[in-house]
């Protein structure tokens, strides 16, 4: 079914039937609790979904929206079906979290069936592991047609062969690799990469003497002693390498 | 009771304005991994590292393509792909508004061309990956004069390379199976 | 043993004591670290030796591991892991693992449960997963596997099945046999498995006489997913740290750290001090959000909803802290074998310190509010008693245990991370009731704040990650953490193909369930949700309650919501109709 038809159907369902606030019922089908607690956090005062007309209820018989979390374990299949049958039609089924959407990290385990849509049709998927309260509000608002869907499926194909240039063009790849590795070892992949990029920019711009001057200046100005420490370690690698090169050349 | 009231007054409005105003996430927030097709060399490091198999890669040796595929509905947003990618082709973003009505909208797919082995003619590695290795070698100064052999070597599939190496040292190659029956 | 070590002094003495008593029944002794020893014993002497270690050497049962070692030595094996805390002095404590080989042609072993009740769940699980029969175990029911799982298919046997194999359901309805309580007028109350409060599914059955609970039984493991088999088959060592986080969405990071440190210990990998500090900081951030959640829940269950909302509002600050430090509100994704993936820089540190100051002020006010709400004290004092004697038999853990006078806390008993490098106090109370357990949590929040502050201030320089080590095949060790709800113990044996051969993850709540039955007894039905919440289970309440009236011999089902309302209002008992 193409998206337009499906969205239109969803909309119609809502407009015709749900003229009031919606009641949401959560069904945990073997999740790790991460999703449950984030849903709980989403109904806390900080996010307060009741201002949008959403209320979590205690029985599927009152529910307009069923929120399925978890990878659908074997033991929860029957209770999940019972909850589905207990909710009056029409209802909106939301698959919540990576497990609810597809089984997540457990997708091929022996004791799970893998996602809510392995048992019944799903109207809206909310990815996340777990989805944050804001992502939860967005997903529910989208399910109720209060907000627009943002994500779109994408497809790329190479028509002609294109080249990918190494990231630190102009720097010896061996040095770049060493600097990157050391930065990651010291400061992790996220900060380390940023620090390495900043350092290698200096290398690209100048000769060893200029680099040395700039780094010493940078370290003097740096208010974060940890950053200074990491820069200094990277600098040591570079200077040692330059010295070796110098020796070899001399 | 009075205390409670005082507390409530003191705290005031606790609710964020989202979704009417954007909500701010911390720098370094682990949101949607964004794929940059122009930088992907189809090396498969992300697929190997991905704990839930949200990223997968498939070979199609008939059509000569290697396909890359991410399922945002299975992603656990750990950022391992971002961490291991050698070219920066996949980076976690601050985007968390990923809900979708169609499952297909949770997928991002890409197809990359494979190169043929100059010896046996079978597809064996993504062209971009080979080009990337060559570019790195060039930068390291390994492709200048006298090192042209690298370039030739890289265009031979591992199977043929093994066979060539074996015959060069006089050892017998494994009898029987020749890939594609070509020489 | 590839990872042979020299024994610690005090551990050596204990082992000597066991040797002098059991002599030839102890076949082998191997030290994995100076405080981890594994004794291989004669199968027939297993119960006696475990009993001796448990009751006379100051032991607590921390885990039992089944293992299919037929490919290694032709046998199955069972490992009983005990934490020996004889003198309650941290550096005298050690881990004693009693191992026995089980012949593959006769897959049975003598049950330890009649001598050490704490083993009951473990032995049921070993039977489910490996098909090893604990001879003499009174409880013949399944524990972990779902009711629709075929008989004679034991998932963790190496040759049983592919990890992806999904047999067709053999039953179209649940057929778990709950215990039968004989007696005049007992009412049966089934609760679940769908829940209302925060957590996972579980099915409870309460047996009541009038308003009073006589006994209880439960069917849990609705969430059994097959994590351990998955780790053995699809994932590499690093990937399992992310899987371990998904054992529990509230205290997942404690599992990730316990798993990683088990692998690190087994392979002799030394984690850099800075990484140890970062792990410690995040473990405490996790404890804060979890304790705030539980205190909020307790407030909710006694009908103090304004307090509940305030606790959740303050909890958001702990969540913010996690987002600043890790990029995610939960499932922090921080661990790799050998350290952590992300550093803490000054900017992040300053933000976290600001949040700590805010939380401290808020906490003072909130706890003052909560403890001066008369309703809260009257509803929790003397309720849900965990008798110290029962506690001794069942090895419960965490605030549950520390509310009954035992100052057991893995962070102090077997220090890991940076816990022996910064000052903090173990909190315990001796009221044995719901109130004591909540007070322990409240006081621990302040300790967490203190630990985070000190760790941030004293974080040593140097790397956050080591790399380039080789994994030693078939070596094993324990990893342990104190989760918000108590001790987590992971046992890992490495394989030879970049994958674990066996990974046994024991979550804290596993040790807290079996004694819950005794905590219910003598309390009113209206207190049941509060008692369940007070052990802070990873799977809390339930949707419906079956009440069995022992006098009228009549069972009826009550909606959980109704029970929760009754718990909050204590008016109009749903039993009177």
């Amino acid at each position: 079914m193409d998206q337009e038809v499906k969205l239109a159907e969803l909309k119609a369902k809502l407009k015709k039937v749900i003229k009031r606030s919606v009641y949401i019922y959560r069904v945990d089908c073997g999740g790790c609790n991460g999703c449950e607690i984030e849903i709980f956090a989403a109904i806390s005062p900080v996010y307060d979904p009741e201002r949008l007309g959403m209320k979590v209820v205690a029985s599927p018989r009152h529910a307009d929206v069923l929120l399925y979390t978890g990878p659908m374990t074997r033991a929860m299949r029957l209770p999940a079906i019972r909850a589905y049958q207990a909710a009056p039609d029409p209802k909106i089924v939301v698959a919540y979290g990576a497990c609810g959407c597809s089984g997540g990290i457990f997708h091929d385990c022996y004791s799970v069936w893998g996602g809510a849509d392995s048992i019944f049709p799903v109207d809206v998927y909310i990815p996340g592991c777990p989805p944050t309260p804001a992502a939860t509000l967005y997903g529910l608002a989208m399910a109720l047609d209060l907000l627009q869907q943002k994500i779109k499926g994408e497809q790329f194909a190479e028509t002609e062969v294109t080249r990918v240039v190494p990231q630190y063009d102009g720097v010896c790849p061996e040095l770049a690799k060493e600097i990157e590795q050391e930065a990651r070892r010291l400061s992790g992949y996220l900060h380390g990469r940023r620090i390495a990029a900043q350092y290698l920019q200096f290398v690209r711009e100048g000769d060893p003497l200029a680099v040395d001057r700039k780094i010493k200046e940078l370290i003097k100005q740096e208010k974060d002693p940890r950053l200074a420490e990491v820069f200094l370690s990277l600098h040591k690698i570079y200077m040692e390498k330059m010295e070796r090169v110098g020796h070899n050349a001399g | 009771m009075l205390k409670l009231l005082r507390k409530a007054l003191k705290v005031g409005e606790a609710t964020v304005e989202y979704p009417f105003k954007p909500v701010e996430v911390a720098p370094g927030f682990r949101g949607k991994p964004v794929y940059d097709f122009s930088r992907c060399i189809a090396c498969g490091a992300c697929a190997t590292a991905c704990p839930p198999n949200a990223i997968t890669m498939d070979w199609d040796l008939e059509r000569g393509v290697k396909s890359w595929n991410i399922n945002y509905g299975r992603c656990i947003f750990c950022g391992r792909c971002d961490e291991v990618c050698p070219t920066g082709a996949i980076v976690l973003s601050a985007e968390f508004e990923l809900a979708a009505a169609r499952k297909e909208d949770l997928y991002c797919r890409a197809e990359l061309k494979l190169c043929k082995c100059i010896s046996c003619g079978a597809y064996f590695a993504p062209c971009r990956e080979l080009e990337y290795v060559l570019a790195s070698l060039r930068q390291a100064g390994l492709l200048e004069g006298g090192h042209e052999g690298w370039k030739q070597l890289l265009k031979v599939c591992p199977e043929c390379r093994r066979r060539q190496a074996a015959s060069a040292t006089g050892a017998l190659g494994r009898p029987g199976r020749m890939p594609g029956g070509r020489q | 043993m590839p990872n042979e070590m020299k024994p610690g002094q005090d551990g050596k003495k204990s082992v000597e004591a066991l040797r002098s008593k059991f002599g030839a029944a102890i076949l082998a002794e191997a030290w994995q670290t100076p405080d981890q020893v594994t004794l291989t014993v004669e199968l027939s002497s297993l119960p006696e030796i475990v009993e001796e270690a448990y009751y006379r050497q100051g032991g607590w049962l921390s885990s039992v591991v089944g293992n299919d070692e037929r490919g290694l030595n032709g046998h199955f094996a069972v490992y009983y892991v005990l934490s020996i805390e004889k003198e309650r002095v941290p550096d005298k404590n050690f881990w004693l693992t009693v191992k026995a080989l089980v012949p593959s042609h006769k897959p049975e072993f003598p049950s330890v449960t009649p001598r050490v009740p704490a083993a009951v769940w473990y032995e049921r699980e070993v039977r489910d997963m490996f098909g090893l029969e604990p001879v003499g175990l009174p409880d013949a029911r399944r524990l972990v596997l779902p009711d629709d799982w075929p008989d004679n298919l034991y998932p963790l046997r190496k040759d049983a099945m592919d990890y992806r194999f999904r047999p067709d359901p053999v039953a179209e309805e649940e057929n778990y046999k709950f215990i039968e309580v004989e007696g005049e007028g007992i009412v049966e109350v089934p609760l679940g498995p769908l829940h209302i409060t925060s957590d996972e599914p579980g099915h409870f059955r309460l047996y009541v006489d009038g308003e009073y609970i006589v006994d209880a039984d439960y069917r849990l493991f609705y969430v059994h997913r097959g994590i351990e088999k998955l780790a053995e088959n699809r994932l590499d060592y690093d990937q399992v740290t992310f899987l371990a986080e998904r054992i529990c969405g509230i205290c997942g990071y404690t599992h990730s750290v316990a798993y990683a440190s088990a692998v690190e210990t087994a392979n002799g990998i030394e984690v850099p001090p800075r990484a140890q500090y970062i792990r410690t900081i995040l473990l405490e951030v996790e404890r804060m959000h979890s304790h705030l959640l539980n205190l909020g829940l307790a407030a909710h269950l006694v009908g103090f909803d304004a307090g509940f909302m305030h606790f959740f509002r303050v909890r958001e600050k702990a969540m913010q802290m996690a987002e600043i430090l890790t990029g995610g509100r939960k499932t922090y994704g921080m661990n790799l074998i050998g350290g952590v993936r992300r550093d803490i820089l000054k900017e992040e540190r300053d933000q976290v310190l600001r949040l700590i100051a805010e939380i401290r002020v808020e906490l003072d006010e909130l706890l003052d509010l909560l403890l001066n709400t008369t309703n809260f004290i009257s509803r929790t004092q003397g309720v849900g008693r965990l008798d110290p004697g029962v506690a001794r038999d069942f090895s419960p853990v965490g605030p549950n245990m520390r509310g009954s006078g035992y100052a057991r806390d893995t962070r102090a008993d077997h220090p890991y991370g940076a816990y022996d490098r910064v000052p903090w106090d173990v909190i315990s109370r001796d009221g044995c009731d719901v109130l004591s357990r909540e007070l322990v949590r409240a006081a621990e929040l302040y300790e967490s704040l203190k630990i985070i502050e000190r760790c941030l201030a004293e974080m040593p320089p140097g790397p956050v990650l080591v790399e380039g080590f080789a994994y030693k095949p078939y070596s094993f060790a324990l990893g342990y953490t104190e989760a918000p709800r108590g001790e987590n113990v992971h046992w890992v044996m490495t394989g030879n193909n970049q994958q674990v051969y066996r990974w046994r993850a024991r979550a804290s709540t596993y040790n807290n369930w079996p004694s819950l039955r005794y905590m219910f007894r003598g309390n009113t039905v209206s207190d049941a949700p509060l008692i369940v919440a007070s052990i802070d289970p990873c799977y809390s309440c339930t949707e419906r309650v079956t009440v069995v009236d022992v006098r009228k011999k009549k069972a009826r089902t009550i909606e959980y919501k109704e029970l929760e309302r009754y718990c909050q209002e204590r008016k109009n008992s749903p039993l009177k109709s």
Side-chain angles (χ1 to χ4, degrees), chain A residues 194-209:
Chain A
R194 208 189 58 220
I195 298 167
Q198 201 182 337
Y199 187 86
L200 289 169
Q201 188 58 33
F202 287 120
V203 175
R204 195 183 298 168
E205 282 168 4
D207 59 285
L209 278 177

Side-chain angles (χ1 to χ4, degrees), chain C residues 103-133:
Chain C
S104 55
H105 61 273
K106 196 181 169 206
E108 54 182 52
F109 63 100
S111 170
V112 174
T113 305
R115 289 167 186 265
V116 181
V120 58
W121 271 34
Y122 292 106
E123 293 183 343
R124 287 170 69 188
E125 179 170 346
V126 166
R127 180 177 49 209
D128 277 11
M129 305 309 281
F130 290 94
L132 306 180
E133 183 58 37

Side-chain angles (χ1 to χ4, degrees), chain C residues 80-368:
Chain C
Y80 285 70
V81 180
L82 295 113
S83 166
I84 306 288
E85 301 163 23
K86 205 178 191 169
E87 303 177 56
R88 306 230 39 82
V89 185
D91 47 353
K92 289 184 187 280
N93 296 339
F94 71 104
W95 296 96
L96 170 70
T97 302
V98 182
K99 170 187 179 181
L101 293 175
V102 180
S104 55
H105 61 273
K106 196 181 169 206
E108 54 182 52
F109 63 100
S111 170
V112 174
T113 305
R115 289 167 186 265
V116 181
V120 58
W121 271 34
Y122 292 106
E123 293 183 343
R124 287 170 69 188
E125 179 170 346
V126 166
R127 180 177 49 209
D128 277 11
M129 305 309 281
F130 290 94
L132 306 180
E133 183 58 37
V135 177
L137 178 70
D139 197 333
R141 298 170 300 170
R142 275 185 184 168
L143 180 72
V144 176
L145 292 178
D147 295 346
D148 69 359
W149 189 264
D151 288 334
N152 305 320
L153 180 61
Y154 308 109
L156 285 183
R157 284 192 179 188
K158 294 281 180 193
D159 59 355
M161 54 183 232
D162 186 271
Y163 79 101
R164 291 164 296 195
F165 177 61
R166 292 168 182 168
D168 289 333
V170 295
E172 265 308 314
E173 56 191 71
E174 292 96 334
N175 50 19
Y176 188 75
K177 276 179 92 96
F178 286 91
I179 55 167
E180 281 172 25
V181 175
E182 294 288 318
E184 219 183 298
I186 295 214
V187 179
E188 206 181 290
V189 187
L191 284 158
L194 290 177
H195 48 80
I196 163 67
T197 47
S198 49
D199 308 286
E200 291 175 50
H203 189 115
F204 288 69
R205 202 158 284 211
L206 302 179
Y207 301 88
V208 303
D209 184 352
E211 288 286 314
Y212 289 92
I213 304 170
V214 186
D215 207 344
D217 192 14
Y218 13 87
R219 170 70 165 137
L220 299 165
F221 294 91
Y222 283 88
V223 297
H224 176 68
R225 291 157 287 191
I227 287 184
E228 291 171 354
K229 185 103 179 161
L230 175 65
E232 287 172 21
N233 288 280
R234 195 183 81 206
L235 304 179
D236 66 24
Y237 291 113
D238 281 332
Q239 286 175 328
V240 177
T241 63
F242 301 95
L243 177 65
E245 279 187 339
R246 283 157 183 82
I247 290 175
C248 172
I250 309 178
C251 52
Y253 191 64
T254 64
H255 284 289
S256 182
V257 172
Y259 159 77
S261 55
V263 175
E264 285 151 2
T265 307
N267 292 287
I269 299 162
E270 227 171 286
V271 178
R274 191 176 177 88
Q276 301 274 26
Y277 273 72
I278 293 175
R279 283 183 180 176
T280 305
I281 290 165
L282 291 171
L283 286 169
E284 292 308 311
V285 169
E286 195 172 62
R287 188 180 324 279
M288 270 197 332
H289 97 73
S290 176
H291 278 6
L292 284 165
L293 175 93
N294 185 262
L295 283 164
L297 211 58
H300 170 66
L301 287 172
V302 301
F304 181 36
D305 260 327
F308 165 70
M309 290 297 176
H310 277 296
F311 274 110
F312 263 73
R313 182 178 55 77
V314 177
R315 180 176 169 273
E316 279 301 309
K317 292 186 193 290
M319 303 306 282
Q320 229 177 311
M321 236 185 236
E323 189 177 305
I324 291 165
L325 295 174
T326 73
R329 292 164 48 93
K330 26 187 54 206
T331 43
Y332 303 148
M334 283 289 274
N335 284 338
L336 290 178
I337 304 300
V340 295
R341 300 168 64 202
R342 198 166 150 155
D343 194 11
I344 298 177
L345 299 181
K346 183 169 182 291
E347 205 186 316
E348 293 150 343
R349 192 185 72 195
D350 293 348
Q351 286 178 36
V352 170
L353 288 174
R354 258 199 307 280
L355 282 170
I356 287 184
E358 284 175 33
I359 294 178
R360 196 171 267 143
V361 174
E362 294 263 18
L363 211 52
D364 286 343
E365 292 180 11
L366 269 191
L367 289 173
D368 180 46

Side-chain angles (χ1 to χ4, degrees), chain C residues 384-449:
Chain C
R385 223 182 115 74
L386 172 63
D387 183 79
V390 172
R392 186 67 194 90
D393 284 343
F394 285 93
S395 293
V397 292
N400 192 24
M401 188 67 165
R402 293 194 285 279
S404 285
Y406 291 96
R408 288 191 70 208
D409 188 322
T410 315
R411 291 175 291 172
D413 296 337
H414 301 281
Y416 57 94
Y419 287 112
D420 54 351
R421 291 173 241 195
V422 293
W424 62 280
D425 294 311
V426 175
I427 305 294
S428 66
R429 296 281 184 276
D430 49 18
C432 307
D433 51 7
V434 173
L435 179 63
S436 291
R437 298 192 272 279
E438 296 306 337
L439 288 177
V440 166
R441 290 190 185 100
E444 281 183 358
L445 282 170
Y446 289 98
E447 295 302 314
S448 295
L449 292 172

Side-chain angles (χ1 to χ4, degrees), chain B residues 99-161:
Chain B
R102 289 193 325 159
K103 209 169 185 176
E104 298 83 83
D105 282 330
L106 296 174
Y107 291 101
C108 173
R109 295 188 172 95
E111 287 191 341
L112 290 107
K113 285 193 159 133
L114 292 173
C115 241
K116 280 183 180 166
C117 168
I118 52 169
S119 168
C120 70
Y123 287 113
F124 79 103
C127 303
R128 279 193 192 175
E129 190 179 6
L130 292 180
E131 288 290 339
Y132 184 81
V133 175
L134 279 173
S136 300
L137 290 171
R138 194 172 302 121
Q139 261 181 43
L142 287 173
L143 286 188
E144 290 150 26
H147 294 304
E148 278 297 320
W150 275 104
K151 215 168 173 172
Q152 289 303 308
L153 206 59
L154 274 170
K155 296 195 170 159
V156 181
C157 74
E159 188 79 16
C160 290
R161 234 179 297 160

Side-chain angles (χ1 to χ4, degrees), chain A residues 41-56:
Chain A
I43 58 171
S44 78
V46 179
Y47 298 95
D48 188 18
E50 287 181 27
R51 76 201 145 111
L52 306 175
M54 304 169 190
K55 189 170 164 53
V56 176

